[in-house]
């Protein structure tokens, strides 16, 4: 399907479940579009600034899609989702079927044929929108698990384009992926791409193994042969995502951020040790395990208010999905119990904040925190870990990092932990608190160097180079 003759076309087209903007109502009552929070938008922002393109995604409200529009140099193409699409495709199949399977079945997955039908329908709609806005020979960059059928659907409509797909979450071992009734369709959908990018080498290997075992594809040296008579091979590889190091560090260095960081500590009673957790309110993030470890540290007398306190930011997430409703209730009950049993008048043990915050406030929180607790049970990357070390240009602070994050494979000098091991997590937190400042500075310097050397610009350059070279490897990685 060629693009419409009157539609603007672009050499780079990004497709993601959401557009990089949210519609908000200003104090004056006017409606405007503002940049969304979140790791994907933050990561792609600098990419789209450097090379103008189009972004295809849902605008966030059920019903008719707004007309395409330009924002900050990017052409935005909204895709319409009905209320039923949101319930079945997004809340259902994407987040109650795929998400649990891809995150080690921390909660059981649900399998419903009507959810699968909606997932197919929405992926077709995205593919048509991409095909319509892509210039001849364009590079298409499909994002994440919500759009795993899109690569093959786009190829059927536009065989002239180059198609890449990047998975922001883990890709599960074949033993878990095999539970999906539609496993073959998902694999063949992904094999419509020229290059498939993953956070870790283990994820890429899981995908290749799934193709070999579940659809009997021939595989060799990180590539999968497509059994459609075309002779095509698809390469899968690890290209871990990162952040805009220079941009975030520049923000963290602003005097207003330093003033706000000092103000935060003062508002908290100037504790000797300020611990911080920043997560979406998701069962994969290990918030309950973290609170359990902290509760035991308080009960044992190792830490306690007013000398030590924990700030837990839990950004609202998927609030209509039952598992998330149960998680919120559980977390809030636990926070109340900790403060009731172990807090002091004027000095709660936990400051719990169920909000999203702008980048400036997050940078101030990172600068204020002595210990950053990043303890997911499973995470594709976790950009919060990278954001924290980026903001600590003063070489202060300490990062406690779960070994089950993609970030741990890059930031292995951090204070590593197994969040399932509560006793081990407690000891890791105490080491992060009590390690001498000079040693913590040495660790932070190493962590910052890694993030600075492997920033989001390098991630994008590596991905696009791999896309251009596939199925071969690039001659020299950027």
């Amino acid at each position: 399907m060629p693009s419409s003759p009157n539609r603007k076309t672009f050499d780079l087209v990004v497709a993601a479940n959401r557009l990089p903007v949210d519609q908000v109502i200003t104090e004056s009552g006017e409606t405007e579009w503002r940049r969304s929070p979140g790791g994907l938008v933050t990561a792609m922002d600098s990419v789209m600034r450097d090379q103008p393109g189009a972004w295809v995604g849902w605008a966030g409200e059920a019903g008719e899609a707004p007309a395409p529009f330009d924002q900050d140099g990017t052409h935005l193409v909204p895709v319409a989702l009905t209320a039923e699409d949101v319930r079945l495709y997004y809340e259902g199949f994407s987040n109650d079927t795929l998400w649990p399977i891809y995150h080690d079945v921390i909660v059981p997955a649900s399998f419903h044929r009507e959810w699968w039908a909606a997932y197919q329908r929405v992926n077709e709609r995205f593919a048509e929108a991409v095909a319509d806005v892509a210039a001849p020979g364009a590079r298409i960059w499909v994002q994440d698990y919500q759009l795993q059928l899109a690569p093959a659907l786009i190829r059927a409509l536009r065989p002239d384009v180059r198609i890449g797909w990047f998975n922001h979450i883990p890709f599960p071992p074949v033993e878990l992926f095999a539970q999906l009734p539609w496993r073959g369709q998902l694999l063949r959908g992904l094999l419509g791409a020229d290059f498939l990018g993953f956070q870790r080498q283990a994820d890429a290997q899981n995908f290749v193994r799934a193709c070999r075992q579940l659809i009997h594809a021939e595989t060799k040296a990180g590539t999968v042969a497509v059994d459609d008579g075309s002779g095509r091979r698809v390469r899968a590889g690890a290209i871990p995502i990162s952040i805009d190091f220079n941009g975030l560090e520049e923000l963290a260095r602003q005097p207003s951020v330093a003033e706000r960081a000092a103000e935060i500590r003062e508002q908290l009673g100037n504790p000797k040790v300020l611990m911080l957790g920043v997560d979406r309110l998701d069962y994969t993030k290990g918030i309950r395990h973290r609170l359990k470890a902290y509760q035991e540290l308080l009960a044992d007398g190792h830490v306690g208010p007013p000398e030590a306190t924990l700030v837990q930011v839990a950004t609202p997430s998927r609030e209509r999905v039952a598992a998330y409703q149960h998680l919120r209730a559980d977390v809030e009950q636990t926070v109340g119990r900790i403060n009731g049993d172990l807090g002091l008048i004027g000095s709660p043990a936990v400051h719990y904040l169920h909000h999203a915050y702008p980048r400036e406030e997050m940078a101030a929180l990172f600068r204020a925190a002595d210990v950053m607790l990043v303890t997911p049970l499973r995470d594709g990357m976790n950009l919060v870990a990278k954001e924290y070390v980026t903001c600590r240009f003063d070489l202060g602070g300490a990062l406690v990092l779960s070994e089950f994050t993609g970030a741990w494979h890059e930031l292995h000098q951090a204070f590593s932990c197994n969040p399932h091991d509560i006793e081990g997590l407690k000891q890791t937190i105490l080491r992060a608190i009590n390690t001498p400042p000079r040693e913590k500075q040495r660790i932070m310097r190493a962590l910052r160097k890694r993030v600075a050397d492997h920033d989001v610009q390098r991630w994008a350059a590596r991905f696009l180079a791999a896309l251009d070279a596939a199925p071969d490897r690039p001659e020299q990685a950027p």
Side-chain angles (χ1 to χ4, degrees):
M1 182 184 78
S3 60
S4 302
N6 297 324
R7 173 70 64 87
K8 289 196 292 185
T9 60
F10 297 84
D11 292 326
L12 174 65
V13 180
V14 171
N17 177 63
R18 286 292 303 270
L19 291 174
V21 293
D22 292 321
Q23 197 169 36
V24 298
I25 299 177
T26 65
E27 293 181 359
S28 62
E30 297 180 354
T31 299
E32 68 179 27
W33 296 96
R34 291 182 183 170
R35 182 181 179 276
S36 305
L40 172 60
V41 174
T42 302
M44 294 300 296
D45 185 54
S46 59
V47 176
M48 301 301 283
R49 280 201 309 265
D50 292 342
Q51 40 193 321
W55 185 307
V56 175
W58 178 45
E61 294 288 338
E64 293 186 13
F69 61 98
D70 293 329
Q71 179 92 2
D72 298 330
T74 300
H75 186 66
L76 303 182
V77 182
V79 173
L81 294 185
T82 65
E84 184 179 63
D85 291 333
V86 175
R87 182 172 61 86
L88 302 180
Y89 144 79
Y90 180 69
E91 295 172 351
F93 195 80
S94 294
N95 292 315
D96 216 357
T97 300
L98 293 176
W99 185 268
I101 291 288
Y102 284 42
H103 288 85
D104 295 354
V105 196
I106 295 169
V107 302
S110 301
F111 306 114
H112 299 290
R113 284 170 287 182
E114 63 174 346
W115 291 5
W116 166 246
Y119 187 81
Q120 291 176 292
R121 182 171 65 247
V122 172
N123 270 250
E124 289 169 358
R125 205 174 300 154
F126 271 81
E128 290 167 359
V130 168
D132 199 37
V133 79
R139 294 189 290 189
I140 312 299
W141 194 345
V142 183
Q143 307 285 339
D144 226 358
Y145 64 104
Q146 301 98 340
L147 299 176
Q148 292 179 91
L149 302 179
L153 294 167
I154 294 167
R155 181 167 296 279
L157 295 170
R158 292 291 304 273
D160 60 300
V161 299
R162 297 285 291 179
I163 303 169
W165 177 82
F166 185 79
N167 196 37
H168 293 259
I169 67 174
F171 195 89
V174 65
E175 293 81 7
L176 294 180
F177 186 81
Q179 295 180 33
L180 289 163
W182 309 279
R183 62 199 191 186
Q185 295 98 311
L186 289 167
L187 293 175
R188 292 186 178 93
L190 291 172
L191 289 174
D194 297 288
F195 176 72
L196 300 167
F198 298 87
Q199 301 281 26
R200 305 175 305 148
Q201 191 60 39
D203 297 319
Q205 292 168 348
N206 286 343
F207 171 78
V208 171
R209 192 175 299 117
C211 290
R212 183 169 62 247
Q213 295 185 21
L214 300 179
I215 61 174
H216 310 294
E218 185 261 316
T219 65
K220 181 180 179 182
T223 65
V224 180
V226 181
D227 186 20
D228 62 359
S230 66
R232 280 199 318 115
R233 298 192 75 90
V234 178
R235 176 163 293 281
I239 300 184
I241 196 171
S242 195
I243 64 170
D244 180 6
F245 181 89
N246 291 332
L248 183 56
E249 184 186 51
E250 181 181 352
L251 173 64
R253 287 181 178 273
Q254 291 183 3
S256 60
V257 171
E259 291 169 8
R260 177 59 185 145
E263 183 181 20
I264 288 170
R265 291 192 69 97
E266 184 175 352
Q267 290 174 336
L268 295 171
N270 286 315
K272 292 180 180 178
V273 179
L274 170 56
M275 288 168 271
L276 175 65
V278 175
D279 311 87
R280 278 192 315 104
L281 189 56
D282 191 291
Y283 51 77
T284 66
K285 301 300 184 181
I287 299 172
R288 286 179 289 202
H289 296 65
R290 183 185 312 157
L291 290 173
K292 174 67 172 173
Y294 180 60
Q295 182 177 19
E296 291 190 10
L297 287 173
L298 290 165
D300 294 343
H302 293 301
V303 299
E307 290 82 10
T309 194
L310 168 65
V311 173
Q312 175 61 58
V313 177
T315 305
S317 177
R318 301 166 189 165
E319 295 184 282
R320 296 199 300 181
V321 178
Y324 291 79
Q325 294 170 348
H326 296 154
L327 172 66
R328 179 178 179 182
D330 194 12
V331 167
E332 292 180 353
Q333 287 173 6
T334 301
V335 169
R337 190 178 307 116
I338 292 172
N339 282 332
D341 293 344
L342 300 162
L344 302 174
I345 293 176
S347 298
V350 183
H351 299 262
Y352 175 74
L353 305 167
H354 188 239
H355 302 288
Y357 289 95
R359 292 176 74 237
E360 294 80 2
E361 183 74 359
M362 294 312 305
L365 277 166
F366 291 147
R367 287 200 58 180
D370 300 297
V371 178
M372 185 77 216
L373 302 177
V374 180
T375 60
L377 308 179
R378 172 63 69 195
D379 214 334
M381 174 51 62
N382 196 290
L383 295 179
V384 167
K386 295 185 174 184
E387 291 169 348
Y388 178 69
V389 301
T390 298
C391 289
R392 298 316 300 252
F393 59 87
D394 59 347
L395 303 183
L399 173 64
V400 173
L401 183 60
S402 165
E403 62 192 53
F404 301 119
T405 63
W408 178 81
H409 294 267
E410 298 183 81
L411 306 179
H412 54 269
Q413 299 97 335
F415 293 89
S416 301
C417 68
N418 172 1
H420 297 277
D421 175 8
I422 300 300
E423 188 61 38
L425 177 55
K426 289 162 56 180
Q427 296 307 315
T428 303
I429 293 172
L430 290 176
R431 282 197 296 114
I433 293 171
N434 296 322
T435 294
R438 187 182 297 274
E439 176 63 11
K440 287 197 277 193
Q441 289 174 0
R442 183 192 66 78
I443 293 170
M444 186 59 70
R445 186 178 291 108
L447 298 178
R448 284 176 49 77
K449 184 177 189 307
R450 173 68 191 192
V451 179
D453 291 346
H454 296 78
D455 64 0
V456 70
Q457 287 81 12
R458 183 173 180 183
W459 169 72
R462 288 184 64 206
F463 186 95
L464 294 174
L467 174 58
D468 291 341
D472 298 325
R473 291 189 176 92
E475 290 186 10
Q476 187 172 1

